[in-house]
Amino acid sequence: MDSAEPREDNESKDDEANRLLPSSSDDEETAFDARDKILVGDLDSSDVDSVPPFSWKKLWLFTGPGFLMSIAFLDPGNLEGDLQSGAIAGYSLLWLLMWATIMGLLIQLLSARIGVATGKHLAELCREEYPNWARLVLWFMAEVALIGADIQEVIGSAIAIQILSNGVLPLWAGVVITASDCFIFLFLENYGVRKLEAVFAVLISTMAISFAWMFGDTQPSGKELLLGILVPRLSSKTIRQAVGVVGCVIMPHNVFLHSALVQSRNIDPSKKGRVQEALNYYSIESSVALLISFMINLFVTTIFAKGFYGTEQANRIGLVNAGQYLQDKYGGGFLPILYIWGVGLLAAGQSSTITGTYAGQFIMGGFLNLRLKKWLRALITRSCAIVPTIIVALVFNKTEASLDILNEWLNVLQSIQIPFALIPLLTLVSKEQVMGVFKIGPIVERLAWTVAALVIVINGYLLLDFFVSEVRGLLFGFLVCTGTAAYVAFIVYLIARGDALPSTWFSIELSKRFAYSGN
């Protein structure tokens, strides 16, 4: 017995050391503890390669992560893009909204794929894939993107609270109230993943009912709506709104979030059949979730297209004054439209800030491998966004124009971060060493890179347009140029390091010729 004790001590030391390695150890930082995961099938099934037949019950058990992911398509920043698109471009950009949502779905399905197939989320995989300096840069960029998104979401929620309180509560008070969602989140998380998902289902339903009610009240043109969806139209006057529609769809933190959320179900990555089953169900529920988000965005766009397209107010409408403009246009009724708008906006703001807290936990834990208690990590994540948001609310709450300027800067901040989520995702999901048999094929790879390049170019246009109009002074211009050079260099590094770009016809033909010449 005595001789066994040193051996047990050595084994415990080895286990402790292994926790610091990028392995699948149970003690390593994970998205969800094993006891918190939802059982979706028989874990002891011996048939590891066959995919079980479709089951509605199984689909219900897998339903949840896609709806939490879809919140990023419905946050206050997206709603502001919708209302401005409708007011300035009318129904003409609905086709772009639809295709942007489809592009977003493709990216999110790849995010879910990497989480299910590897059993790790994107931030964890980035920690293992990249050297320390690059990992820290990616973490910093992800945190900045999250803070920027959270400021928009918290201010949107604070605006809703201001509306619903008849202006009694100022913007900063709404920010403080919204900060409490951190504790609501922790409270709900203690009751399990399904309870948390149920709360988000209620919030999404609230948004859907509110904006559908407004859609029914305002009665937009059905004919114009169908033409807007089916007939692509774009003019020089609406190019900025078009860029905004596409730019709002891919949120950097959401790419990290979805790859972690799918791990809330107990799936063994070593069983191919179970992994494929999970991917099938997640594809269905994510598609349904984004279809609902598309309908909500469509409601908002068409409401403002009907009421304000071609009017003098069109260029002056923003998130701050949208409710009052609606009230002036459509009046009271059984339920004043101002308060219906406020309820929908509050649901959007609260749900998106809670998912932001969730995403912050995964990003911090994944990149840094921090094993902190949930309440402490949530508090740190929340503080990173709430403190600057309160400062922003106090500084910018002078005029409606100042908040609009703030929103433009935050949109630029989001645009800058997009490559640092998309490039690692597409690099890793294309690698057989990471994905095994679930590596994406060449057609999907090219399609995904085309979508990513399109989104990056469109956001690059937004950045160029913004800096041309805003950059003043030699020193500021020099700093922007220097930052841009470093930014581009890091993007090139990420692409080159992972051989991220898919093989083209030219490179394939070239390799064949070299092979023939060698023979």
Side-chain angles (χ1 to χ4, degrees):
M1 292 291 293
D2 292 339
S3 62
E5 289 179 2
R7 187 186 309 160
E8 291 175 357
D9 289 340
N10 289 336
E11 288 175 355
S12 64
K13 288 178 181 178
D14 290 339
D15 290 341
E16 180 69 25
N18 288 335
R19 284 192 294 184
L20 302 177
L21 298 175
S23 65
S24 57
S25 170
D26 292 337
D27 293 324
E28 190 186 14
E29 173 61 32
T30 56
F32 295 91
D33 294 333
R35 63 179 179 273
D36 295 331
K37 293 187 176 184
I38 298 167
L39 185 64
V40 291
D42 182 8
L43 295 178
D44 298 324
S45 174
S46 58
D47 190 359
V48 298
D49 291 330
S50 65
V51 179
F54 177 82
S55 164
W56 288 103
K57 182 180 178 181
K58 280 268 189 83
L59 178 59
W60 173 248
L61 290 174
F62 276 101
T63 298
F67 284 88
L68 268 68
M69 168 274 294
S70 71
I71 294 295
F73 291 71
L74 298 168
D75 69 0
N78 276 276
L79 298 184
E80 182 161 31
D82 293 336
L83 66 89
Q84 290 176 343
S85 170
I88 297 172
Y91 301 87
S92 65
L93 296 181
L94 291 178
W95 66 275
L96 190 59
L97 174 63
M98 179 183 71
W99 283 106
T101 304
I102 292 172
M103 289 192 296
L105 174 62
L106 173 62
I107 297 300
Q108 295 303 149
L109 289 179
L110 294 180
S111 176
R113 187 181 190 87
I114 203 170
V116 174
T118 65
K120 297 182 179 182
H121 57 84
L122 183 58
E124 291 176 306
L125 292 169
C126 286
R127 186 182 77 230
E128 299 173 6
E129 175 71 15
Y130 296 101
N132 283 338
W133 72 269
R135 170 177 61 86
L136 291 175
V137 172
L138 286 172
W139 168 69
F140 176 77
M141 291 298 186
E143 290 287 357
V144 169
L146 180 61
I147 291 171
D150 216 10
I151 290 174
Q152 284 183 312
E153 293 155 0
V154 170
I155 287 182
S157 190
I159 291 170
I161 291 171
Q162 193 174 47
I163 290 172
L164 296 175
S165 67
N166 281 324
V168 172
L169 294 173
L171 200 63
W172 66 265
V175 170
V176 173
I177 293 171
T178 305
S180 66
D181 66 18
C182 170
F183 303 103
I184 296 172
F185 165 75
L186 289 171
F187 175 76
L188 293 172
E189 199 176 26
N190 289 330
Y191 286 91
V193 175
R194 292 300 269 177
K195 298 293 189 302
L196 187 65
E197 290 171 351
V199 170
F200 280 99
V202 171
L203 291 170
I204 292 173
S205 300
T206 302
M207 279 185 272
I209 293 170
S210 298
F211 297 130
W213 189 308
M214 292 170 61
F215 181 84
D217 273 355
T218 56
Q219 298 181 343
S221 168
K223 179 182 176 181
E224 288 293 329
L225 189 154
L226 285 175
L227 286 174
I229 292 175
L230 299 176
V231 180
R233 288 177 287 174
L234 191 62
S235 70
S236 58
K237 294 180 181 179
T238 60
I239 189 70
R240 193 180 183 96
Q241 283 67 45
V243 169
V245 167
V246 178
C248 287
V249 167
I250 309 283
M251 303 291 283
H253 73 273
N254 207 39
V255 177
F256 289 99
L257 175 66
H258 200 195
S259 65
L261 290 174
V262 294
Q263 294 174 46
S264 59
R265 274 56 177 174
N266 204 331
I267 304 159
D268 186 349
S270 66
K271 296 181 177 179
K272 298 177 184 177
R274 296 300 183 184
V275 171
Q276 187 59 58
E277 177 190 39
L279 293 176
N280 294 342
Y281 284 121
Y282 280 138
S283 297
I284 295 171
E285 69 112 16
S286 295
S287 300
V288 172
L290 288 194
L291 174 62
I292 294 172
S293 76
F294 168 71
M295 294 303 298
I296 293 173
N297 285 315
L298 181 143
F299 289 155
V300 176
T301 303
T302 53
I303 287 165
F304 284 87
K306 170 66 184 299
F308 303 102
Y309 177 58
T311 65
E312 294 180 359
Q313 303 103 313
N315 289 304
R316 299 199 298 269
I317 296 180
L319 205 60
V320 179
N321 56 21
Q324 192 57 53
Y325 273 121
L326 285 169
Q327 183 70 11
D328 294 341
K329 182 75 176 180
Y330 296 105
F334 175 68
L335 281 178
I337 198 168
L338 173 65
Y339 297 114
I340 301 173
W341 167 256
V343 169
L345 182 58
L346 182 63
Q350 285 295 317
S351 57
S352 55
T353 53
I354 295 175
T355 53
T357 301
Y358 221 4
Q361 288 194 340
F362 297 134
I363 288 170
M364 182 180 291
F367 275 110
L368 304 182
N369 197 22
L370 294 178
R371 290 186 289 276
L372 300 175
K373 292 182 178 180
K374 287 182 178 179
W375 69 267
L376 181 57
R377 193 187 305 165
L379 186 62
I380 293 172
T381 303
R382 208 78 202 97
S383 300
C384 287
I386 289 299
V387 172
T389 304
I390 292 176
I391 296 171
V392 162
L394 292 173
V395 171
F396 284 87
N397 191 25
K398 306 297 182 186
T399 64
E400 294 174 359
S402 62
L403 282 171
D404 288 339
I405 291 171
L406 169 66
N407 190 59
E408 286 188 22
W409 278 94
L410 292 174
N411 285 338
V412 168
L413 188 67
Q414 292 293 308
S415 300
I416 289 173
Q417 312 305 325
I418 284 176
F420 306 126
L422 290 187
I423 294 174
L425 171 67
L426 300 188
T427 299
L428 293 168
V429 82
S430 305
K431 278 192 172 184
E432 189 172 357
Q433 305 95 302
V434 176
M435 299 293 294
V437 296
F438 293 100
K439 165 186 175 292
I440 59 173
I443 294 176
V444 176
E445 186 181 359
R446 289 181 186 131
L447 179 61
W449 274 102
T450 301
V451 168
L454 184 62
V455 171
I456 291 171
V457 167
I458 287 174
N459 281 278
Y461 173 86
L462 175 65
L463 294 175
L464 181 63
D465 179 64
F466 180 80
F467 284 123
V468 166
S469 61
E470 295 293 331
V471 172
R472 297 287 185 273
L474 185 61
L475 178 60
F476 190 27
F478 173 76
L479 292 175
V480 168
C481 290
T482 304
T484 301
Y487 173 78
V488 172
F490 188 56
I491 290 175
V492 171
Y493 165 79
L494 292 176
I495 294 174
R497 189 182 187 281
D499 292 327
L501 290 177
S503 300
T504 62
W505 174 86
F506 175 77
S507 61
I508 293 173
E509 289 297 317
L510 195 63
S511 62
K512 286 180 180 178
R513 296 195 178 199
F514 275 114
Y516 291 145
S517 63
N519 292 332

